[in-house]
Amino acid sequence: YKNVLPEGYDGWTGDVGLLAMLLLNEMARLNIDGSGSKGIDLPSRKEGAQSLMSAWVASLPSPDEMSIMHPLMWEEDDQEKLQSSSTKNIYRLLDDIDDDSSWLDEKVWGLDRSTFPETVKIQLGADDEATVEERPCFSADGFRYAVSLVRSRSFFVESSLRLLPYLDYANHDDFNANELRSGGIGMLWGSAKGALLKSGKPLKAGDEIRISYGPKGPADYLLDHGFVPPMCRTSASGGAITAELSFNVDDADRFRDDKMDVLEYETYDLAPMEPVQTFDVTGGPGSTGEPDPAMIQFLRLSKLGGKDAFLLESIFRKEVWGFVSEPVSEDNERSAVTAVIEACQNALSEMMEEEEGGAIIADEKDRLCSMVRASEREALDRTLVYVKQEETALDLKEYYQQRRLKSLGLDSDWSPEDDTSFGGPRVPGGADYDW
């Protein structure tokens, strides 16, 4: 897409969207509808390599199959049910996809339909058994279809998201599998970069090689891969059960500019923090429900005000983020804890109610939504129990003022014996000053 997309193009869908456009181009290169619309004939490949790539593209699930397998392709009613079962903002993800496809259609695809066809016809199979299937391509429907494929089949290798043909067919295993990692190809110097799939158990001829898709919560697994593995279910042992809570610096906060300055320049070295932050809360076996310390730290800063606002003075600007990593004052801590309690309660109230009496759910999509809902409810409930206990023990915490006095050695009661200088008592007029 060099010289096609503007330099520095950064869509809402990020790397997933870029990989989706590459995948759409591979589909267009297989187009046999006779219109001559075949995408961009890049990258150049040897005949054998291109045949291998073409066979992989043709083997990918069709849009009809993905409409059953992946939430991004579900009907609107089913997506609404999923949104009411999770704290994840599914609609935001769908909006990001629609916004990117609208921009691309207006600025790129719609200007050159001879290169970017809206639909393509792909031959499936060979010889007498060959069939032709029409698929959406450079369009809103095609982009959503490609994004669902990329999300369900891509991996992070060497800190980058990559779509690796044929390795993407490896199925997930909770326990006897490893995540994909980088590895060299070839035995001599200058070995090419590659990806290494290593089995988590001894294999016999004919055994299926499985892979771990990594530690994720149930909603993430469903939105990425279209299923919820056993380790993410409340009935299974191990695995993290997570929900999401979002907080922000209030637009009406009189100290908003100071807090924004802290978040932008004085938090972490790698990147500034946005005024809206989303955090995971966890449940499941072994979880105490304790919130992420980074979430409480952000809330202490966002709730800083009143008598504590002096910490936002410029003299403390480079230190205030460190200060709020520990309790600041009882009022500030109460505000932070209350924010978590209210967020948990609101999230629980917005979720669908569970089926009465453990009824059997026949519909697969309903069953998946129920799994996500039950898991996230457990995470929210455990967090709620923990922070309510914290709320009752605020008077037992050590706050900034106490820590500061202690660091100056001023935290003990005064006595006349302490008020001495060089072994002798201090008396009025006793200092040897030459006025």
Side-chain angles (χ1 to χ4, degrees):
Y1 287 97
K2 185 178 181 181
N3 301 324
V4 176
L5 292 174
E7 186 175 354
Y9 170 79
D10 185 18
W12 292 107
T13 51
D15 289 345
V16 171
L18 293 174
L19 287 172
M21 285 191 283
L22 292 175
L23 183 55
L24 290 176
N25 192 63
E26 294 296 337
M27 292 181 187
R29 294 174 77 173
L30 300 183
N31 192 14
I32 59 169
D33 72 352
S35 66
S37 299
K38 283 186 170 290
I40 302 170
D41 193 24
L42 289 172
S44 299
R45 300 187 181 100
K46 294 179 180 180
E47 182 60 32
Q50 184 57 46
S51 298
L52 199 66
M53 178 64 75
S54 298
W56 171 73
V57 172
S59 73
L60 293 173
S62 69
D64 287 342
E65 290 172 318
M66 291 300 288
S67 69
I68 299 171
M69 297 163 57
H70 203 281
L72 294 183
M73 300 289 287
W74 287 359
E75 295 292 332
E76 190 173 334
D77 288 346
D78 293 319
Q79 290 174 342
E80 183 178 355
K81 191 175 297 182
L82 177 56
Q83 181 61 86
S84 64
S85 301
S86 175
T87 52
K88 296 279 184 182
N89 196 332
I90 291 116
Y91 287 142
R92 182 175 60 193
L93 175 57
L94 294 169
D95 288 343
D96 289 346
I97 295 171
D98 291 343
D99 288 346
D100 276 359
S101 62
S102 295
W103 187 93
L104 289 164
D105 188 61
E106 179 184 351
K107 304 292 185 180
V108 181
W109 304 335
L111 303 179
D112 186 6
R113 284 302 178 189
S114 62
T115 302
F116 305 111
E118 289 187 84
T119 61
V120 294
K121 291 182 178 179
I122 297 176
Q123 179 175 312
L124 307 178
D127 302 328
D128 296 338
E129 298 181 357
T131 59
V132 176
E133 181 177 280
E134 185 173 79
R135 296 182 181 181
C137 197
F138 292 104
S139 64
D141 289 341
F143 188 65
R144 181 180 293 197
Y145 165 53
V147 167
S148 68
L149 286 171
V150 170
R151 285 183 68 98
S152 64
R153 311 179 81 85
S154 56
F155 306 95
F156 274 96
V157 181
E158 289 190 334
S159 302
S160 295
L161 189 68
R162 303 178 191 273
L163 185 57
L164 304 170
Y166 295 101
L167 277 180
D168 65 315
Y169 272 104
N171 286 318
H172 171 80
D173 191 309
D174 280 346
F175 306 109
N176 297 313
N178 296 306
E179 292 184 54
L180 202 65
R181 59 186 179 89
S182 60
I185 298 176
M187 301 295 292
L188 302 176
W189 307 280
S191 296
K193 286 186 176 182
L196 178 63
L197 192 163
K198 187 175 182 180
S199 174
K201 64 178 181 180
L203 298 171
K204 302 187 297 291
D207 285 350
E208 180 183 0
I209 302 174
R210 289 183 171 251
I211 192 172
S212 170
Y213 294 165
K216 303 178 185 181
D220 286 321
Y221 260 102
L222 184 55
L223 286 171
D224 285 346
H225 306 290
F227 70 96
V228 179
M231 72 175 183
C232 284
R233 302 173 195 169
T234 55
S235 59
S237 60
I241 297 169
T242 63
E244 280 189 356
L245 296 178
S246 294
F247 302 96
N248 65 285
V249 178
D250 194 337
D251 289 339
D253 191 331
R254 60 179 294 201
F255 302 110
R256 177 180 169 82
D257 289 344
D258 295 303
K259 294 173 182 178
M260 292 291 292
D261 195 38
V262 173
L263 291 173
E264 187 170 0
Y265 298 109
E266 308 301 344
T267 51
Y268 302 109
D269 294 334
L270 297 179
M273 291 181 70
E274 296 294 328
V276 179
Q277 292 290 313
T278 300
F279 302 92
D280 287 340
V281 294
T282 59
S287 172
T288 64
E290 182 178 4
D292 183 351
M295 177 172 74
I296 301 300
Q297 186 175 12
F298 177 81
L299 284 171
R300 287 175 184 141
L301 178 69
S302 67
K303 301 299 180 182
L304 211 57
K307 295 180 179 179
D308 302 317
F310 75 94
L311 291 174
L312 293 170
E313 294 288 347
S314 58
I315 191 173
F316 297 120
R317 190 56 48 91
K318 292 185 178 297
E319 299 173 292
V320 64
W321 184 245
F323 290 158
V324 295
S325 66
E326 298 180 275
V328 175
S329 69
E330 188 167 339
D331 287 343
N332 177 261
E333 195 75 358
R334 181 176 290 104
S335 297
V337 168
T338 300
V340 179
I341 292 173
E342 291 176 351
C344 288
Q345 291 173 336
N346 290 338
L348 287 167
S349 67
E350 290 172 3
M351 282 190 180
M352 292 177 59
E353 294 296 327
E354 290 297 320
E355 297 289 337
E356 293 291 335
I360 297 175
I361 303 174
D363 184 81
E364 177 64 13
K365 294 173 184 176
D366 288 348
R367 189 177 68 84
L368 290 170
C369 289
S370 179
M371 285 181 185
V372 171
R373 190 164 59 247
S375 297
E376 294 201 15
R377 276 185 172 278
E378 179 172 340
L380 291 167
D381 283 335
R382 292 203 180 198
T383 301
L384 194 55
V385 169
Y386 185 95
V387 292
K388 282 186 174 181
Q389 289 174 342
E390 286 285 291
E391 187 181 33
T392 63
L394 295 179
D395 59 327
L396 302 179
K397 293 188 176 185
E398 184 178 70
Y399 295 103
Y400 172 80
Q401 186 178 38
Q402 296 164 287
R403 295 194 302 273
R404 183 64 173 157
L405 290 173
K406 185 181 290 186
S407 69
L408 296 173
L410 301 175
D411 59 324
S412 57
D413 294 334
W414 175 84
S415 67
E417 289 76 16
D418 295 329
D419 203 6
T420 59
S421 177
F422 298 104
R426 291 176 58 190
V427 296
D432 187 17
Y433 296 139
D434 184 359
W435 297 104

